[in-house]
Amino acid sequence: MVTSIATVSLSGGLTEKLQACAKAGFDGVEVMDADLTVAYESPEEIRALCHRLGLKIDMLQPLRDAEGVDEATFADNLRRAREKFRTMNRLGTDLLLVCSNAGTATVDDDAVVTSQLGQLADAAAEFGVRIAYEALAWGRFVNDYRHAWRLVEAADRPNLGTCLDSFHILSRGHDPAGIEEIDGEKIFFLQLADAPQLEMDLLSWSRHHRLFPGEGAFDLTGFLKHVLRAGYRGPLSLEVFNDTFRQTDVYRTAAHAQRALIWLADQAGAEEHSRHGKLPAGQPPQGFDFVEIAGADLSEVDQLMNQLGFTFRGRHRRKPVRLWSLGEARIILNEQRKRETPQLAALGLEVAHSGRAADRAQSLGAAPVFRNTSTGEFDLRGVAAPDGTEIFWNGHGEPIRWIGEFEGGMEPGEQHGGIDHVNLSYPWQHFDEAVLFATSALGLEPAASAEVPGPLGLVRSQVMHTADRKVRVPLNLAPPTAPVPPRHVALQCADIITTAARARSRGLRFLPVPDNYYDDLTARLPLDPDFVSTLKELDLLYDRDGAGDFIHFYTPTIGEFFFEIVERRGDYAGYGAPNAPVRLAAQRALTATQSR
Amino acid sequence: MVTSIATVSLSGGLTEKLQACAKAGFDGVEVMDADLTVAYESPEEIRALCHRLGLKIDMLQPLRDAEGVDEATFADNLRRAREKFRTMNRLGTDLLLVCSNAGTATVDDDAVVTSQLGQLADAAAEFGVRIAYEALAWGRFVNDYRHAWRLVEAADRPNLGTCLDSFHILSRGHDPAGIEEIDGEKIFFLQLADAPQLEMDLLSWSRHHRLFPGEGAFDLTGFLKHVLRAGYRGPLSLEVFNDTFRQTDVYRTAAHAQRALIWLADQAGAEEHSRHGKLPAGQPPQGFDFVEIAGADLSEVDQLMNQLGFTFRGRHRRKPVRLWSLGEARIILNEQRKRETPQLAALGLEVAHSGRAADRAQSLGAAPVFRNTSTGEFDLRGVAAPDGTEIFWNGHGEPIRWIGEFEGGMEPGEQHGGIDHVNLSYPWQHFDEAVLFATSALGLEPAASAEVPGPLGLVRSQVMHTADRKVRVPLNLAPPTAPVPPRHVALQCADIITTAARARSRGLRFLPVPDNYYDDLTARLPLDPDFVSTLKELDLLYDRDGAGDFIHFYTPTIGEFFFEIVERRGDYAGYGAPNAPVRLAAQRALTATQSR
């Protein structure tokens, strides 16, 4: 089983798209006719480039509004088609997608359509071309895959088959089980697209909002299983019209697309037919191993951790790297990289089988990262996430062997603490990519998403977590015109009042909370005035749900990073979302002040 | 009649919003409670700032889920409300918006709601506060403005009235005529928002997609007339939840908002109650007077116009400004400005009454532009559009007096030609602002909009034109991550084959069109092969509709500007939209080549 993608799913010019598809590991492409039309390269050049890149041109697409028309129109449509057959011969592809007539169909008569499809196939045969006929969801008279298949069957030509597109079938709520009744040999092509459940007209939904598999509301795994049971063994191809993917970097989006397809094939059990083989089993993390902050000068972060009560655990024996811990939370400061600005650069996760986790991520297209290790040092395996953040895996429950490489530090006492959650931020256009990577490669699951009003627009927030919520990674997506917000690590402590008071006595000034916040809090919730006074004095924020309470504060931002300190009381399950607007406004106000 | 705006409609912190509202000319604001909560400034500081800025705080909003609840909950709600009354006393506002209960309502009993609204009003009276009760479109039991009014009437308190919100009424398709049956004195507040017609749940539609008046599908003029007939004389206030306006520059968006409100008041005949008075009548342009290209060095543009067959009409007698013409098309090259890059900087329009056009635009908040004129020179009046493009007006049908200021040029012969259309481009987030300005200040009307696939995403295209289509201004909106495309002027010629051949013989290399385009054209349309050969030889593009043909070509881009040359045959009404993707791809391919 091979992978393919329609060029319309990607940004850039045709040759850039082809280069990116090859680099991402696709076996083939569907060339969108419109992409060829605007390219300076001739069909022969495109053919030769694809040959060099090892890409098969699986199909040219689409020919529209060909059938179900009066005789004069059909004669001209045959002329149109022959011109495209000539182009296909030059391009070196033998399959043409014909979509059911959505515009000019005048005849609601299966006999006419059957006859015209047959004539089209016969004309195609003269050029060695095959036709894949597809029911568009908004086709005028043919808009059900079962109807398209009946017409193909009736026309009965060896070079005429059907093309199935998950969007056109699932968007109309048609039962995909009927696919199993189609002769697998006559399914000439398979196009896969997911989509969110939206209430809008089919055409707009299809042309703007399709997603890669696993990112929407469709059951693509079930869909693909039906297609496999029918006996289809052709390419799994993505045709994803999406306003965002049309804009994002073509190499990155192609890798994202391939990841989605490999994931889907694995879910559907198509791996036995696939050159990619079975994916190693997913490894949901069982805890955070460490977080790494990288930057040219991290002395401010050292000071911050000192103020927060972290224990200094030593310097790496060979590298400009330091380790701090607070209970179970381990923070590595890495000054090896010459990045200007302190930032959250790597994440260590504890899993049952670290090797399998790394193998799985690499099978999903993530590049392994090089780690500067020497003899006797522990070699953690890791990969770069699509945005460059490094992910490392370590065995859960084993002694953390890499700690032995740090020297000259102190032993931690019986310190309570741990990483509550790690908040990663991205530009808006990387939302689906980030979620899919977290799902497929990191073994996290999406919780409900929310929108947080900030001074520069709505920030989209998507929590990713494990089923047991031991590992929680909220993703924040900045609105298009706003800078990407800083990332942060939230640390659990047993007694936030004490922790906050101690940090303050050590000179730490938290993110200041407006007095108005406490007036509003007092109005919203019937709290003990003394308790509110304590919160106000220490710049602490408060939230509660039915199960418990949440008290937290934020440190100042250093570079593109800050800490949050949280205390969860009872079974509070959230992240203090009602307080996020306060943080966003305060951080911006302070940035504006500092930049004056 | 005074203007107001809810602070949630704008980006930034509360004090920035207030500054921007004052600068845009608003008389008052509705302070969103959440904006106050995240502000460092105390209510007293906000009050004092508003006083200095001449802004009245018309209302604090909202108090949610107060009524229709059990006794225990209501007791706590009264406590909540009293805290907010205290804040209002500090803030110096006496009106609180209470939205109908959307979440916690348990009692579908008008008697209970009436009683609780009465108790709330009595509690408010102790603080000198008035309550405006509003039916949310998604209120659990109260979601119709007529129902809210019946409850207010039944509660019968002097400090209890209703608030009308056009979104909540029109989104549900409720007939606004019933507003006239409400006592105008008891309409305590009026919130205005437009919205596009979308099929989605009411809450998402309301929270993300509201628009300023005149930008959506609602009949706000008719709505406002009903409210005026009811006798309402309070503020016209905008409450526009919109993801884009939350991001755009607060000063610019506040001016945009005020423009929409003045336009609406004028449309609805509210001007007699308004300190803004009646707007001067709109002046739909009757032709283009000129287009001005500005830049530090425009010699390349001179050469281009020479190649295109323009006549050099002379240098300005005093300024580094040159004039060229091609038939009725006049292009001014202005090297007074020290902008680096050649760009389309100003547009001259011919109207019946130039003074009225300028007065109207200024009444709509556009700043007049200073023109460097001296004695004896013609003083064109003009304003800056929101994006800085200058718009000048001249009397139509009169001799063009400013031409006399140019010396040393040639007299044009009997030359055919004129400006076919002027294409302006903007970043995506300025779509509504650009359309509203063109509608309200320039007297243009929107045609249907389209989306053009480009290599960096979908470009949104919105044609603005006069009813007679003599003046056509397509607006192109770049996708969020892409650069704003260059602007262009399209020139009409009588015989494009001759024009193109002559320009080529003068050394002009047009934007090269891919050979594949002509293969596709041959497939799409049954054209004479000789004709297609001619098109191909000269890099000409072709389109047709039911009424005629369109042949055109593009010059290379100079800075942020280029020309298009078009020939319209018959009554072709479009702009060659099917060819726009070819242009976008070719321009990007050339930019990429040049930047290597």
Side-chain angles (χ1 to χ4, degrees):
Chain A
M1 197 132 252
V2 296
T3 59
S4 186
I5 184 168
T7 56
V8 74
S9 314
L10 300 168
S11 71
L14 182 54
T15 58
E16 294 165 278
K17 297 180 189 210
L18 295 172
Q19 298 270 7
C21 291
K23 179 146 188 252
F26 281 96
D27 302 294
V29 292
E30 306 171 34
V31 170
M32 189 81 176
D33 197 16
D35 278 331
L36 181 64
T37 297
V38 303
Y40 285 120
E41 294 78 11
S42 67
E44 290 81 0
E45 281 175 278
I46 297 299
R47 174 188 199 151
L49 174 62
C50 285
H51 181 77
R52 168 163 68 82
L53 295 173
L55 281 178
K56 183 166 181 290
I57 302 182
D58 291 312
M59 187 163 78
L60 180 74
Q61 68 123 319
L63 183 73
R64 295 191 189 278
D65 299 342
E67 86 298 5
V69 294
D70 63 62
E71 283 303 312
T73 306
F74 185 67
D76 191 56
N77 288 351
L78 273 181
R79 186 198 60 75
R80 279 205 291 141
R82 284 199 183 90
E83 293 292 340
K84 292 300 172 187
F85 299 154
R86 268 186 260 286
T87 300
M88 292 171 68
N89 286 171
R90 296 171 63 194
L91 204 52
T93 184
D94 76 339
L95 188 61
L96 178 69
L97 179 72
V98 173
C99 308
S100 63
N101 198 318
T104 63
T106 49
V107 189
D108 184 13
D109 181 337
D110 282 2
V112 170
V113 176
T114 299
S115 159
Q116 292 181 344
L117 284 177
Q119 291 176 62
L120 192 64
D122 293 343
E126 293 168 30
F127 294 82
V129 162
R130 297 178 302 137
I131 303 284
Y133 182 60
E134 169 187 72
L136 290 182
W138 54 89
R140 179 138 182 227
F141 300 121
V142 179
N143 44 46
D144 184 323
Y145 76 97
R146 294 159 291 207
H147 188 187
W149 166 236
R150 284 198 305 275
L151 294 164
V152 165
E153 242 187 334
D156 192 25
R157 299 296 200 282
N159 67 329
L160 177 67
T162 190
C163 172
L164 300 175
D165 180 313
S166 60
F167 183 89
H168 293 303
I169 296 168
L170 301 176
S171 66
R172 293 189 63 103
H174 292 157
D175 183 355
I179 293 170
E180 297 186 28
E181 287 155 37
I182 302 177
D183 173 3
E185 299 281 314
K186 295 295 272 184
I187 302 174
F188 279 6
F189 209 70
L190 174 64
Q191 295 178 316
L192 296 162
D194 206 338
Q197 201 58 52
L198 297 174
E199 288 177 47
M200 61 169 56
D201 68 285
L202 284 167
L203 185 60
S204 303
W205 189 16
S206 172
R207 290 283 168 80
H208 299 286
H209 300 284
R210 291 187 181 202
L211 291 170
F212 293 127
E215 300 176 348
F218 290 164
D219 174 16
L220 283 192
T221 302
F223 179 88
L224 179 54
K225 283 179 177 170
H226 292 303
V227 180
L228 294 172
R229 277 191 217 116
Y232 177 76
R233 295 294 178 270
L236 306 185
S237 188
L238 297 169
E239 188 194 31
V240 173
F241 298 88
N242 177 293
D243 289 1
T244 301
F245 303 152
R246 278 179 186 274
Q247 295 175 47
T248 43
D249 177 82
V250 62
Y251 284 91
R252 195 161 159 176
T253 309
H256 171 192
Q258 176 78 331
R259 180 172 308 121
L261 211 43
I262 294 172
W263 172 85
L264 173 65
D266 185 64
Q267 292 287 110
E271 74 288 344
E272 57 187 297
H273 318 295
S274 165
R275 69 174 176 85
H276 298 283
K278 176 100 191 119
L279 278 183
Q283 302 287 318
Q286 294 169 286
F288 288 104
D289 186 14
F290 64 88
V291 171
E292 180 184 301
I293 314 301
D297 176 0
L298 301 172
S299 52
E300 273 190 85
V301 185
D302 285 295
Q303 181 182 325
L304 187 57
M305 287 197 286
N306 208 335
Q307 290 167 322
L308 289 171
F310 274 78
T311 303
F312 180 65
R313 303 292 298 281
R315 297 178 175 277
H316 194 273
R317 60 188 188 195
R318 200 172 48 78
K319 298 182 280 191
V321 173
R322 306 186 283 283
L323 173 64
W324 293 79
S325 73
L326 183 73
E328 291 303 308
R330 289 172 288 279
I331 306 290
I332 291 173
L333 300 190
N334 184 348
E335 289 179 347
Q336 285 185 102
R337 312 202 202 164
K338 296 309 167 206
R339 291 183 186 162
E340 278 300 315
T341 313
Q343 55 195 274
L344 197 164
L347 205 54
L349 298 171
E350 296 179 346
V351 291
H353 299 282
S354 55
R356 282 186 210 162
D359 286 343
R360 180 178 170 95
Q362 286 182 227
S363 298
L364 288 162
V369 292
F370 168 75
R371 241 179 125 251
N372 175 0
T373 50
S374 69
T375 319
E377 289 173 9
F378 188 66
D379 191 15
L380 281 180
R381 283 186 62 195
V383 301
D387 71 316
T389 304
E390 295 180 353
I391 310 292
F392 293 97
W393 287 276
N394 204 352
H396 177 70
E398 303 163 19
I400 301 160
R401 286 154 56 198
W402 58 262
I403 289 185
E405 298 166 20
F406 289 83
E407 299 170 344
M410 287 174 290
E411 281 305 305
E414 292 224 350
Q415 202 174 30
H416 181 93
I419 293 176
D420 186 85
H421 60 274
V422 174
N423 186 301
L424 301 179
S425 49
Y426 301 90
W428 66 278
Q429 69 268 29
H430 293 139
F431 176 80
D432 295 298
E433 178 195 69
V435 173
L436 181 79
F437 186 79
T439 310
S440 63
L442 305 188
L444 300 174
E445 300 166 10
S449 76
E451 272 158 340
V452 178
L456 302 176
L458 293 175
V459 174
R460 187 170 179 182
S461 175
Q462 172 66 60
V463 173
M464 306 296 302
H465 59 67
T466 50
D468 62 6
R469 294 177 174 247
K470 278 192 184 156
V471 171
R472 295 179 274 218
V473 184
L475 310 179
N476 278 357
L477 285 295
T481 63
V484 176
R487 295 175 164 195
H488 76 268
V489 172
L491 301 158
Q492 277 175 1
C493 71
D495 176 1
I496 196 159
I497 308 287
T498 306
T499 302
R502 189 181 53 199
R504 181 157 298 196
S505 75
R506 288 173 179 175
L508 179 61
R509 192 173 176 243
F510 312 156
L511 188 74
V513 176
D515 289 353
N516 297 340
Y517 169 79
Y518 299 100
D519 290 344
D520 181 64
L521 187 64
T522 300
R524 281 194 289 125
L525 303 171
L527 297 169
D528 174 2
D530 287 346
F531 177 62
V532 176
S533 294
T534 303
L535 295 177
K536 186 171 176 176
E537 192 182 325
L538 290 169
D539 285 308
L540 299 177
L541 298 153
Y542 176 84
D543 189 32
R544 69 180 186 194
D545 59 16
D549 303 60
F550 189 66
I551 312 176
H552 56 144
F553 70 87
Y554 302 103
T555 72
T557 301
I558 298 175
E560 298 167 27
F561 174 79
F562 64 94
F563 284 111
E564 177 181 3
I565 315 294
V566 314
E567 182 189 337
R568 288 177 188 270
R569 295 181 179 173
D571 289 324
Y572 177 88
Y575 301 82
N579 301 327
V582 178
R583 168 169 66 82
L584 291 170
Q587 286 176 332
R588 172 159 179 275
L590 290 181
T591 308
T593 309
Q594 284 162 0
S595 66
R596 260 176 218 151
Chain B
M1 196 135 251
V2 296
T3 61
S4 186
I5 184 168
T7 56
V8 74
S9 315
L10 299 168
S11 71
L14 182 55
T15 58
E16 294 165 279
K17 297 181 191 211
L18 296 172
Q19 299 270 6
C21 291
K23 181 149 188 246
F26 280 95
D27 303 294
V29 292
E30 306 170 35
V31 170
M32 189 80 177
D33 196 17
D35 279 330
L36 181 65
T37 297
V38 304
Y40 285 121
E41 294 78 12
S42 67
E44 291 81 3
E45 280 176 278
I46 297 299
R47 173 188 200 150
L49 174 62
C50 287
H51 182 76
R52 169 165 67 83
L53 295 172
L55 282 177
K56 181 163 182 291
I57 302 182
D58 291 312
M59 188 162 79
L60 180 75
Q61 67 124 318
L63 184 73
R64 295 190 189 279
D65 299 343
E67 86 297 5
V69 294
D70 62 61
E71 283 304 313
T73 307
F74 186 68
D76 190 55
N77 288 351
L78 274 181
R79 184 198 61 75
R80 279 204 292 140
R82 285 199 181 90
E83 293 292 339
K84 293 299 172 187
F85 300 153
R86 268 187 260 287
T87 301
M88 292 172 67
N89 285 171
R90 296 172 63 195
L91 204 52
T93 184
D94 75 339
L95 187 63
L96 177 69
L97 179 72
V98 173
C99 309
S100 64
N101 197 319
T104 63
T106 50
V107 188
D108 183 15
D109 181 337
D110 281 2
V112 171
V113 176
T114 300
S115 157
Q116 292 181 344
L117 284 177
Q119 292 176 63
L120 192 64
D122 293 343
E126 293 168 29
F127 295 81
V129 162
R130 297 178 302 136
I131 302 283
Y133 182 60
E134 168 188 74
L136 288 181
W138 53 90
R140 181 141 181 226
F141 300 121
V142 179
N143 44 47
D144 184 325
Y145 76 97
R146 293 159 292 208
H147 189 187
W149 166 236
R150 283 197 306 275
L151 295 164
V152 165
E153 244 188 332
D156 192 24
R157 299 294 199 285
N159 67 331
L160 177 67
T162 190
C163 171
L164 300 176
D165 180 313
S166 60
F167 183 89
H168 293 303
I169 295 168
L170 300 176
S171 67
R172 292 188 64 103
H174 291 158
D175 183 355
I179 293 170
E180 297 186 28
E181 286 156 37
I182 302 177
D183 173 4
E185 300 280 315
K186 295 295 273 183
I187 302 174
F188 279 7
F189 209 69
L190 174 65
Q191 295 177 315
L192 295 162
D194 207 339
Q197 201 58 51
L198 297 174
E199 287 178 46
M200 60 168 58
D201 68 285
L202 284 168
L203 185 59
S204 303
W205 188 17
S206 172
R207 289 282 168 82
H208 300 287
H209 299 286
R210 292 187 179 202
L211 291 169
F212 293 127
E215 300 175 347
F218 290 163
D219 175 16
L220 282 193
T221 302
F223 179 87
L224 180 52
K225 282 179 177 171
H226 291 304
V227 180
L228 293 172
R229 276 192 217 115
Y232 177 75
R233 297 293 178 269
L236 306 185
S237 188
L238 297 168
E239 189 194 30
V240 174
F241 297 89
N242 177 293
D243 289 1
T244 300
F245 304 151
R246 277 179 186 274
Q247 295 175 48
T248 43
D249 176 82
V250 62
Y251 285 91
R252 195 160 159 175
T253 309
H256 171 192
Q258 175 79 330
R259 180 173 307 121
L261 211 43
I262 294 172
W263 172 85
L264 174 65
D266 185 65
Q267 292 286 111
E271 77 287 344
E272 58 186 297
H273 318 295
S274 165
R275 69 173 175 86
H276 297 284
K278 176 100 191 118
L279 279 182
Q283 301 289 318
Q286 294 170 288
F288 289 103
D289 186 15
F290 64 87
V291 171
E292 179 183 301
I293 315 301
D297 175 1
L298 300 173
S299 52
E300 273 190 84
V301 187
D302 285 297
Q303 181 181 324
L304 187 58
M305 288 197 284
N306 207 337
Q307 291 167 321
L308 289 171
F310 274 78
T311 301
F312 179 65
R313 303 292 298 282
R315 295 178 176 279
H316 193 274
R317 61 188 187 194
R318 201 172 47 80
K319 297 182 280 192
V321 174
R322 305 186 284 283
L323 173 64
W324 292 78
S325 73
L326 182 73
E328 291 304 309
R330 288 172 290 278
I331 307 291
I332 291 173
L333 301 190
N334 184 346
E335 289 179 348
Q336 285 185 101
R337 312 203 202 164
K338 296 308 169 206
R339 291 183 187 165
E340 277 298 314
T341 313
Q343 56 195 273
L344 198 164
L347 205 54
L349 299 171
E350 296 179 348
V351 291
H353 300 281
S354 55
R356 281 186 210 163
D359 286 343
R360 180 178 170 94
Q362 286 181 229
S363 297
L364 288 161
V369 292
F370 169 75
R371 245 181 120 249
N372 174 0
T373 50
S374 70
T375 318
E377 291 174 9
F378 188 67
D379 191 15
L380 282 178
R381 284 186 60 194
V383 302
D387 71 315
T389 304
E390 296 180 353
I391 310 291
F392 293 97
W393 287 277
N394 203 352
H396 177 69
E398 303 164 17
I400 301 159
R401 286 156 54 199
W402 57 263
I403 289 185
E405 297 166 19
F406 289 83
E407 298 169 345
M410 288 174 292
E411 281 305 306
E414 291 224 353
Q415 204 176 29
H416 180 92
I419 293 176
D420 186 84
H421 60 273
V422 174
N423 185 301
L424 301 180
S425 49
Y426 301 89
W428 66 277
Q429 67 269 30
H430 294 138
F431 176 80
D432 296 298
E433 177 196 68
V435 173
L436 181 79
F437 185 78
T439 310
S440 63
L442 305 187
L444 300 173
E445 300 167 10
S449 77
E451 270 158 341
V452 178
L456 302 176
L458 293 176
V459 174
R460 187 170 180 184
S461 175
Q462 172 66 60
V463 174
M464 306 296 302
H465 59 69
T466 50
D468 62 7
R469 291 175 176 249
K470 278 191 185 158
V471 171
R472 294 180 275 219
V473 184
L475 311 179
N476 279 356
L477 286 295
T481 63
V484 176
R487 296 175 163 196
H488 76 268
V489 172
L491 300 158
Q492 277 174 0
C493 70
D495 175 1
I496 196 160
I497 308 286
T498 305
T499 301
R502 189 182 54 201
R504 182 156 297 197
S505 75
R506 290 174 178 174
L508 179 61
R509 191 173 176 247
F510 313 155
L511 188 74
V513 176
D515 288 353
N516 298 339
Y517 169 79
Y518 299 100
D519 291 345
D520 181 64
L521 187 64
T522 301
R524 281 195 288 125
L525 302 172
L527 296 170
D528 175 1
D530 287 346
F531 177 63
V532 176
S533 294
T534 304
L535 295 178
K536 186 171 177 174
E537 193 182 325
L538 289 169
D539 284 308
L540 299 177
L541 298 153
Y542 176 83
D543 189 31
R544 70 180 184 192
D545 59 16
D549 303 59
F550 189 66
I551 311 175
H552 56 144
F553 70 86
Y554 302 103
T555 72
T557 300
I558 299 175
E560 297 167 27
F561 174 79
F562 64 94
F563 284 111
E564 177 182 2
I565 315 294
V566 314
E567 181 189 337
R568 289 177 186 269
R569 295 179 179 175
D571 289 323
Y572 177 88
Y575 301 81
N579 301 326
V582 179
R583 168 169 68 80
L584 292 171
Q587 286 175 333
R588 172 160 179 275
L590 292 180
T591 308
T593 310
Q594 285 162 1
S595 66
R596 260 178 217 146

